[in-house]
Structure formats: C-alpha cells, structure tokens
C-alpha cells in the first residue's frame, strides 16, 4: 500500500479523499492556488503545496507544476478526484512517465472514453446500444446543421471532450444551430481546451441511469449499483439516488452486465461509471463513460457499505477486488443533493463571498455531509460553485425523502446565497415522491417548484416577529419569561417591531389575546394573523391561522435571520417606520456576477430588440448570456474580450430607441 499520495484537486472531493487516506494510514499532500491558501483541504492534509495563481489553468490544471510538487514531496501516487485533470490522458501519461501511480484507469482507457465520438465507435463494436448521431471530424457549422437535419430535431450538441453539462446544448430547429454551436464550442474550449462537438438525437423525456463499475488489474470487473440522476438543470445533475427507483430486477441486471461489458471492452481498471439514457419503454442507450470517481459516489457507498475511495487506493496499488459480483448486496435507499453557492431567484447566478454562519445537519442520524468549507471560509468566483453534498440513507425511498427534508431544514448558511430552498422544493414535489423522474422534471415542474418556495411577506414577518419576541422574552427581565404553559405577554401589552428587507420597511404589531396565554394577533404587511406559539427544544414552532410552521431563527441585535424549508430570509431591525422607494430599473446592463467577458455580440451603434443577446460572461466554467431588456441602441461598449468584470459593473451604455425605427436585418 502507498505511504504518501498527492491529491490533485480541491474542496469537497479533496477532503473526502484525505479522510479515507488517513483512515488507512496514508500521508496526504494537498495542492492549493492563491485563492485556496486557507482552504479546508489544505488544513486537513499532512502537507500542503502551492501550485499557482487563482485561475485553474495556472494552478489545478498546471500539469508540469503538479508533477514537480509530487516529485519534490516523494509521493508514490496521485488521486485526481473529479473534474480538473481527473479524465486528462496527458496528466495520466505524465504520472506514468515520472514513475508516479495515477489512481485511475490506464492512459489508453481515458483516451478512448475521453473522446465521445471514439467511445461511441468502441461501444458499437462491443454491441452496447447507442443513441443515433453524428460523431465525425467535420465540425463546420453547415455540416453539423446538415447532420442535425438528417438525424431529426430535437438534437443534442455535446463537447467531444466534455462532461458536467459543459459544452452541451439542446437544439430544436436549424435556425438555432449556428449560435448553439458557437456557444458550445466556446464553453468547450474554455473548460476542456478542445472545441470538437458531436450531435445526437435528443431522446424526449428519458431517464438518466448510470452504473458504478469497478475493475482491478487482474481482469476482474463488477458493477456495484445503479443510480438515477435524471433530475438535472442545464444538464448538471441536481438530485442523485441509489438504487434507481422503479427498475425491474431483470432490467437492473441487464444494465449492470452491459456496463461491465463496456468496461471490459477497453480493459478498464479502477472506478468508473457507465451512463445510460433509459426511455419509457425500458430501452437503454449508452451515453458516455466517466473514467473517474463520480460526484454522486456516496449514494452507492451507503447502500453497499463499500468505501469506493479505499477500493481505488487498493486497486491502484495492485490488490485484487475484495469481493465478487454475487457478494455485492444492496440495502436501503440513499439520496444525494448538491449544495451550490448560487441564487435561484436570480437565474442561479453563482454567489461569492464569505460564509459568515454555517450549521450543517451532520449530527442527525443517517445524514452525511461531504463538505469542503467551514464557517468563515469564502466562496471564490474561480471554481465550481458546489461546496458540499448532502446525503441521506433510509430503509426505503419514502423514509429517505422524509429524512432529506428534515436535513435540509437543519442546513443553515449565511453570507452567500445557496440552492438549499430550491432543493427542498424539488424533493417536496408529489411527482418526485411518486418516482415520475426524467430529465425534463425541472422544466416541467418549474412553476410548482417556484410556488412552493413562495410565501406571503406577512408570513415571513410573522415568523421574524415571533423569533424576536422569543429572544427578548428569554433575555429581558422586563418581560415575562417563557413558562411551561407557553409564552405569556402582559394582558394589556402591545409590542411593535419594525423590520427592513430589500429596502422596504415593515411595521409588525403583536397583541396578546386577553383570554389565552399562548395566543396572539400579529398584524404585518397589511394582514392580520392568529398566532399560537409552542415550546420546542431545537426549533421554533408556531401556528399561523391554523397552519403549523417549524423553523429556525438566528437573532442578534441588528438582524433576524429566518430559516424555513431550506430558505433564508433576513430582516434588519429599524427604529422607525419609513416608507419605501422602489429602485428605478436601469436600461444599461450590468454584470450579474464576477466573471470574464467571453463574447461580445454587438458593436457600437448596433440596434437591438428585447431579448437580443448582447454579450457573454463566463464564470465558474459556465457561460451567462446578457440580453437586451427592451428596444435600444448601443451607445458605448465599456468592456473588451477577456476583461475581468465584477458584479454590478456597467458593461454597455444603451439608450432608448423609438419603436418606429426599423430593426430589419438586425
């Protein structure tokens, strides 16, 4: 077994690998960029080495520097994690050339599966079912349009060297193809250093079911579990669970055996995932093979009892697989959610900044949090916005979903925006409980998901008022303390709080019921609510108009933070009630996040209509197109290609254009 390994990654997955390595008595060397100088993976490793500036291309993608660090610290092997260089054949070759074990498959296997077009050819020869498509070398726009016409719309454009949804677009007609191709090529070049694309038939409403395979250096290969990863946003997995619900025993076995067949076709070694599209008739098609450990590997670990990172280390050191296929047993059900620093209310724009408060639900039984941050850490604009994963285990799927909701209710983050409330809304959908899963789940239920996150302002204000009242009762001798019978406010007493949120001020009035100790009337935002407060140990419980709310609050002198169903709403405390003024919407677009200008689509003097694309900002390896909000003319362009822009920077100066001005040809 290895004595010392280097982890060529950062964040959550680096911490995950360190945890298993330490349990096996293996020393770890972490690498870090300027932005990650104080990161958790550096704190947890035995040794931490600097590899370059914050941009990934100068640090975590700098093969020469990483190899130099590995040699200087005399490591025997390198674990690449996922993302970055994990599926980079040049990196695996560099490890081999320098006498360092690459903890993953062979260079040839990575190369064969790294090219989606080559992978399709290999799988076709291995008689693995494929989706119809074009995987050739000609990537000119006219040729790809012609191939898409032959395949029939809708089609899926994919980066040949891609993964994680990057460089991927769904195209519904020939008119959309040129812009989609150019955008996918830019994103692919930025993420993978390669622009090559392929085109495939887009199967309508498929499920995304994948198989975890593992092979050793002695010719043995097994499949451990299937996972459903159908719930996706922008081709990025959001919810992952194992085993995939609703599969017959026969179909489960058939898909598993086909995955092993695919792995053996390339003499695979190590952990890998074979991904399939499964249609409503039970037919499945090879999509791709990920030659690394997957983000969602914990759900497989929980239902099999296997530490997949430990297996990776043992297989890479030459040991055989510890068990055979008949010995692999599945128990219970596991679900994983990816926790992102992003704002669902601003089209999921990445959120950067310091985490000033963090409370994770890891103390709850059968809840696992794989995280790369602690309170006080910062989220950088340079890397993927995922900072942790929430995983739960239940005896069955129903109990796992119930536990998942509880865990989300106890996951509290302040300082950055997160998708926790959005995730709670997804797993609370009746269709999710009923296993109505496919890759169109989120678009189809978009309205219901948003509505489940929406509560009247008067409810949030009532929750805030109860939280602040409770805090004052606990701290002030001038008010009666809570009793075993509930909270008691003076019979004649009326309390008033003034809260401020989003530049709007709200006065809340609390009046005690003269007959019932625990009951109040709370007036907020023009609404009156009958409220009953209940004692709870670890959370607040209040009944508002006969509906029970269990929630958490963090109250300090200036701010009340309310956590409910994964959402967080913050209210500042104000001394006086003031009327609010709405901000005027500016015509000129501003940067929606910190990022880099990757495309300018207009020129000075251009006339644009509402919805026309103006420019593209790239951040965290994803592209965000800025569109015109109304008919206008471009007066001035305030940025250039490659410029680093900050959230709120004005990018273009636009002026109103009379509606009678012709936009023909624009």
């Amino acid at each position: 077994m290895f004595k010392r390994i280097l982890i060529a990654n950062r964040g959550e997955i680096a911490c995950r690998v360190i945890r298993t390595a330490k349990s096996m008595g293996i020393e770890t060397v972490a690498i870090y960029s300027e932005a990650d100088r104080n990161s958790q993976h550096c704190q947890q490793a035995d040794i931490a080495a600097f590899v370059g500036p914050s941009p990934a291309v100068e640090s975590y993608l700098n093969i020469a520097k990483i190899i130099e660090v590995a040699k200087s610290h005399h490591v025997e092997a390198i674990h690449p994690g996922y993302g970055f260089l994990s599926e980079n054949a040049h990196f695996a070759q560099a490890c081999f050339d320098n006498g360092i074990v690459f903890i993953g498959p062979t260079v040839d296997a990575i190369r064969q599966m790294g090219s989606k077009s080559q992978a399709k050819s290999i799988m076709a020869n291995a008689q693995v079912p494929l989706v119809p498509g074009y995987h050739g070398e000609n990537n000119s726009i006219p040729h790809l349009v012609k191939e898409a016409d032959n395949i029939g719309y809708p089609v899926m454009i994919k980066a040949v060297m891609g993964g994680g949804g990057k460089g991927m677009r769904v195209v519904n007609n020939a008119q959309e193809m040129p812009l989609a191709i150019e955008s996918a090529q830019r994103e692919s070049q930025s993420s993978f250093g390669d622009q090559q694309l392929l085109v495939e038939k887009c199967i309508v409403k498929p499920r995304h079911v994948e198989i975890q395979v593992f092979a050793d250096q002695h010719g043995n290969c097994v499949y451990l579990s299937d996972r459903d990863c159908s719930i996706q946003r922008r081709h990025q997995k959001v919810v992952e669970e194992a085993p995939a619900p609703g599969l017959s025993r026969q179909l489960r076995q058939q898909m598993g055996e086909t995955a092993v067949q695919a792995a053996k076709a390339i003499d695979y070694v190590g952990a890998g995932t074979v991904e399939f599209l499964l249609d409503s008739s039970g037919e499945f098609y090879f999509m791709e093979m990920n030659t690394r450990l997957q983000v969602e590997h914990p759900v497989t670990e929980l239902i099999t009892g296997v530490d997949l990172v430990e297996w990776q280390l043992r297989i890479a050191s030459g040991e055989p697989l510890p068990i055979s296929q008949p010995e692999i047993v599945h128990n219970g059900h596991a679900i994983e959610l990816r926790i992102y620093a992003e704002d669902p209310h601003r089209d999921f724009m990445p959120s950067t900044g310091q985490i000033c408060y963090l409370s994770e639900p890891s103390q709850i039984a059968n809840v696992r949090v794989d995280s790369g941050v602690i309170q006080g850490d910062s989220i950088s604009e340079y890397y993927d916005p995922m900072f942790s994963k929430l995983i739960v285990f239940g005896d069955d799927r129903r109990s796992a979903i119930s536990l998942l909701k509880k865990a989300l209710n106890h996951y509290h983050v302040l300082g950055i925006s997160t998708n926790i409330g959005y995730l709670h809304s997804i797993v609370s959908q009746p269709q999710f409980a009923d296993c109505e899963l496919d890759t169109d789940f989120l678009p189809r239920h978009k309205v219901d998901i948003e509505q489940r996150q929406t509560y009247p302002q008067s409810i949030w204000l009532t929750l805030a008022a109860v939280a602040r009242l409770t805090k004052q009762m606990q701290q002030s001798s001038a008010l009666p303390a809570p009793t075993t019978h509930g909270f008691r406010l003076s019979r004649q007493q009326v309390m008033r709080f003034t809260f401020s949120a989003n530049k709007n001020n709200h006065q809340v009035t609390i009046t005690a019921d003269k007959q019932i100790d625990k009951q109040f009337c709370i007036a907020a935002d023009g609404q009156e609510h009958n409220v009953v407060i209940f004692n709870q140990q670890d959370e607040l419980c209040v009944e508002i108009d006969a509906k029970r709310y269990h929630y958490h609050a963090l109250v300090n002198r200036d701010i009340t933070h309310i956590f409910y169903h994964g959402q967080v709403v913050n209210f500042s405390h104000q001394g006086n009630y003031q009327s609010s003024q709405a901000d005027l919407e500016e015509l000129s677009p501003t940067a929606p996040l910190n990022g880099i200008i990757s495309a300018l689509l207009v020129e000075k003097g251009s006339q644009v209509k509402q919805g026309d694309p103006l420019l593209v900002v790239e951040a965290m390896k994803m592209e965000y197109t800025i569109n015109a909000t109304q008919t206008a003319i471009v007066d001035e362009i305030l940025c250039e290609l490659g410029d680093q822009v900050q959230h709120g920077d004005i990018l273009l100066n636009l002026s109103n254009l009379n509606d009678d001005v012709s936009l023909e040809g624009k």
Side-chain angles (χ1 to χ4, degrees), residues 462-490:
T462 298
L463 297 178
V466 169
R468 191 173 177 195
L469 174 64
T470 303
K471 184 77 169 180
Q472 289 193 3
M473 284 180 165
Q474 292 170 345
Q475 293 181 341
S476 176
S477 59
L479 291 172
T483 70
T484 57
H485 302 292
F487 294 100
R488 187 179 183 120
L489 200 60
S490 170

Side-chain angles (χ1 to χ4, degrees), residues 67-358:
I67 294 296
E68 176 189 326
V69 168
K71 293 173 69 176
S72 68
H73 289 284
H74 309 290
V75 304
E76 300 162 87
I78 294 180
H79 194 300
Y82 52 71
F84 289 136
L85 296 170
S86 61
E87 295 179 283
N88 188 302
H90 298 296
F91 183 52
Q93 184 67 57
C95 291
F96 178 80
D97 292 342
N98 286 275
I100 301 169
V101 175
F102 179 78
I103 302 174
T106 63
V107 174
D108 285 344
I110 295 174
R111 285 194 176 121
Q112 291 176 88
M113 293 297 100
S115 167
K116 285 184 170 61
S117 55
Q118 185 177 2
K120 302 284 185 183
S121 299
I122 293 171
M123 292 303 123
N125 293 333
Q127 298 185 329
V128 175
L130 299 176
V131 177
Y134 170 73
H135 314 123
E137 296 294 324
N138 190 340
N139 253 217
S140 69
I141 290 178
H143 186 76
L144 291 181
V145 172
K146 179 181 178 182
E147 291 294 338
D149 290 340
N150 293 335
I151 295 168
Y153 294 95
V155 298
M156 182 82 78
I157 296 174
K158 294 182 181 179
V160 166
M161 304 300 293
K166 296 177 177 66
M168 187 180 295
R169 302 288 186 274
V170 175
V171 185
N172 295 300
N173 54 62
Q175 289 71 35
E176 296 177 5
M177 280 289 285
L179 279 178
I181 292 169
E182 291 173 352
S183 178
Q185 286 178 332
R186 283 196 304 269
E187 197 167 273
S188 178
Q189 180 67 42
S190 172
S191 298
F192 314 111
D194 185 278
Q195 291 190 6
Q196 191 74 9
L197 305 177
L198 59 82
V199 184
E200 290 183 339
K201 177 68 178 175
C202 184
I203 298 175
V204 178
K205 294 183 180 179
R207 287 179 64 181
H208 183 144
V209 177
E210 61 188 30
I211 311 295
Q212 176 72 62
V213 296
F214 227 110
D216 62 22
Q217 301 176 39
H218 307 280
N220 304 307
C221 185
V222 298
Y223 64 93
L224 285 100
S225 159
D226 46 79
R227 301 184 287 253
D228 189 291
C229 306
S230 299
I231 297 184
Q232 303 176 8
R233 189 183 64 79
R234 297 173 182 169
H235 312 296
Q236 187 79 41
K237 298 167 186 174
V238 176
V239 182
E240 299 123 334
E241 54 185 309
L247 270 60
S248 68
R249 185 173 182 178
Q250 180 181 0
L251 179 58
R252 203 180 298 278
Q253 180 178 346
Q254 185 181 1
M255 294 182 77
E257 290 175 349
T258 302
V260 169
Q261 183 179 334
K264 288 186 173 181
I266 56 171
D267 297 323
Y268 196 78
V269 172
T273 299
V274 182
E275 304 197 353
F276 295 105
L277 290 177
L278 175 66
D279 68 20
S280 56
S281 68
E283 295 294 323
F284 60 92
Y285 307 91
F286 174 84
M287 187 166 56
E288 63 182 353
M289 183 175 186
N290 294 126
T291 55
R292 54 172 166 79
L293 194 67
Q294 293 281 87
V295 175
E296 58 271 24
H297 75 273
V299 293
T300 298
E301 293 184 323
L302 290 180
I303 69 166
T304 60
V306 170
D307 184 329
L308 292 176
V309 174
E310 180 179 345
W311 274 29
Q312 283 188 298
L313 296 170
R314 294 194 181 281
I315 297 307
S317 68
E319 295 183 20
L321 285 170
I323 56 178
S324 62
Q325 191 67 56
E327 297 175 282
I328 297 172
V329 179
H330 297 168
N331 292 303
H333 197 91
I335 307 176
E336 174 181 293
L337 302 177
R338 302 185 183 195
I339 309 299
Y340 283 90
E342 62 185 11
D343 190 348
H345 302 294
R346 296 181 61 238
D347 195 27
F348 299 91
M349 290 294 177
S351 177
T352 58
Q354 186 181 46
I355 300 172
C356 58
Y357 177 79
L358 176 62

Side-chain angles (χ1 to χ4, degrees), residues 526-546:
Q527 301 292 318
E528 288 191 356
H529 299 291
N530 294 316
V531 176
V532 181
I533 302 175
F534 298 89
N535 289 332
Q536 295 289 316
Q537 291 184 345
D538 66 338
E539 62 183 2
L540 292 166
C541 179
V542 62
E543 190 173 273
I544 304 175
D545 299 332

